[in-house]
């Protein structure tokens, strides 16, 4: 099984920065991709950014130029650096990992989510 441990959420003012981290633990043979999604109150969950172990990454248009994703392969950890935060970035941010675990099974695993609130 694979577990994802997230950290770094909190309450900040508009224009400030936060850094989220997500570490994948457990029995992991391979990772295909890790990603961040977010869900604002009353809205559907949406894609924020993803990255592969080879470093290929993408970022949603809504956060392009403000958010950046990176991965430390040795630690199976991804980081989402969020700059110039806006009130519309307020959401629960969840980490996703597509990995090969026991029984050679590929599956998607989700973290428990971390709250990011942007308010003056």
């Amino acid at each position: 099984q694979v577990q994802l441990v997230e950290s770094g959420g909190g309450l900040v003012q508009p224009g400030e920065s936060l850094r989220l981290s997500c570490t994948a633990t457990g029995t992991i043979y391979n990772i295909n991709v890790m990603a961040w999604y977010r869900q604002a109150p009353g809205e559907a969950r949406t894609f924020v950014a993803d990255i592969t172990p080879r470093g290929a990454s993408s970022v949603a248009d809504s956060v392009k130029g403000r958010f950046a994703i990176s991965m430390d392969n040795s630690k199976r950890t991804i980081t989402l650096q969020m700059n110039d935060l806006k009130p519309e970035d307020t959401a629960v941010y969840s980490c996703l990992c597509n990995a090969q675990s026991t029984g050679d099974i590929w599956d998607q695993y989700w973290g428990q989510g971390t709250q990011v609130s942007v308010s003056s």
Side-chain angles (χ1 to χ4, degrees):
Q1 272 290 3
V2 177
Q3 296 82 38
L4 301 180
V5 180
E6 302 151 334
S7 63
L11 172 63
V12 297
Q13 295 186 347
E16 294 186 338
S17 299
L18 275 177
R19 180 178 296 177
L20 305 182
S21 293
C22 172
T23 298
T25 63
T27 303
I28 301 171
Y29 298 124
N30 290 290
I31 291 176
N32 179 37
V33 64
M34 293 184 72
W36 286 100
Y37 283 74
R38 68 185 182 183
Q39 186 169 21
E43 297 184 10
R45 185 162 55 193
T46 59
F47 169 80
V48 178
D50 66 6
I51 189 166
T52 70
R54 293 189 176 186
S57 65
S58 62
V59 178
D61 288 343
S62 59
V63 302
K64 197 165 292 183
R66 299 188 297 120
F67 290 12
I69 189 169
S70 60
M71 175 182 274
D72 182 332
N73 290 339
S74 64
K75 297 180 180 178
R76 292 172 175 169
T77 297
I78 60 170
T79 298
L80 184 69
Q81 177 66 42
M82 305 184 294
N83 298 326
D84 189 23
L85 282 160
K86 304 176 185 300
E88 52 264 40
D89 295 319
T90 295
V92 174
Y93 285 69
S94 298
C95 177
L96 166 74
C97 178
N98 181 262
Q100 185 182 25
S101 186
T102 55
D104 293 333
I105 296 173
W106 286 90
D107 206 347
Q108 288 188 341
Y109 303 90
W110 288 93
Q112 78 284 358
T114 184
Q115 178 70 46
V116 171
S117 298
V118 185
S119 175
S120 55

